[in-house]
Amino acid sequence: MALILDEPRTASCIALTNSSLYCINKNNLVDIIKKKPEFAVNLISRFRDKLSSINNKLISKHREEPGIASFQDSGGEILSNNTLRFKKNAIIFRESDKGKSGYIIKSGQVKLVRMNRVQKKETILAVLSVGEMFGELALLGDNTRIATALSDDDDTELISFDEKNFYHMIYNDIDFCLKIMKICCQRIKEMNDKIGGC
Amino acid sequence: MSAELKQYHVEKQSGEVLFSQGDPADSCYIVNEGTLEIFITDERGRKVMLATMKKGDIIG
């Protein structure tokens, strides 16, 4: 993760037994992904599992329950076959929903949150702005949304993409693939910070 | 996949440090065999174990 985020190590690692490892630097990582894109898909799937696991810890720490307090399921206004517009506080998707689309923010802002139905309180996992992507993690694994996405602007326009587009981009566009990996690592780091992990 | 990874193979002896907190991150590692421990050193200098890594796990 530190390699992808280009940050110093946040922890140490020591061999407890004689160990055999594969050591991959950044250039090698790009070469491997170019030759074997499925390696990247495997890595991204592991990141997603890690995100789900941290998310669950976050829920138990905040004693949250899935559900929505005061936000509206207004749905988006369809501008074209892959562009949608949402008003402020409109729900783009709910945690635990099955999702078949990822989104890129064309204008406005989006909050990824966990909701506490009892306290009517939200825990913000991330605030995303123009050019950022979200919802793509549901396209890996079992399609379950791990957070709720809300529009945080009165004019949030989103470009949606489906699983087929997503995998096509991962397999054919190394920059997109590295971007997805970076997004996963950043979210893992942000969420780890929230639960007081490292 | 292991055929492609063969050229990146390294060995570490028991007790050998793979990397330390604060080091620049120039590589990541895939465990092929053995057990490794991830830990931090807190502000009082105490070691806090975070995870044990085994075959198939990715470190760093």
Side-chain angles (χ1 to χ4, degrees), chain A residues 33-52:
Chain A
I33 293 171
K34 277 182 185 164
K35 282 182 203 157
K36 289 262 178 188
E38 56 269 32
F39 179 71
V41 173
N42 184 293
L43 267 182
I44 294 167
S45 296
R46 283 162 187 266
F47 290 147
R48 187 196 184 275
D49 291 345
K50 177 84 179 160
L51 267 172
S52 293

Side-chain angles (χ1 to χ4, degrees), chain A residues 26-40:
Chain A
K26 208 162 202 170
N27 292 334
N28 296 339
L29 182 66
V30 172
D31 286 344
I32 292 170
I33 293 171
K34 277 182 185 164
K35 282 182 203 157
K36 289 262 178 188
E38 56 269 32
F39 179 71

Side-chain angles (χ1 to χ4, degrees), chain A residues 73-89:
Chain A
D73 261 321
S74 61
E77 180 192 347
I78 298 167
L79 301 179
S80 73
N81 63 352
N82 67 344
T83 312
L84 298 157
R85 183 189 286 147
F86 291 86
K87 298 268 186 209
K88 193 173 171 99
N89 287 337

Side-chain angles (χ1 to χ4, degrees), chain B residues 15-43:
Chain B
E16 207 175 335
V17 173
L18 196 60
F19 55 76
S20 299
Q21 204 168 332
D23 282 354
D26 50 5
S27 306
C28 68
Y29 301 86
I30 301 168
V31 184
N32 181 43
E33 237 178 71
T35 308
L36 300 100
E37 184 183 70
I38 308 277
F39 64 95
I40 55 164
T41 307
D42 71 11
E43 58 276 13

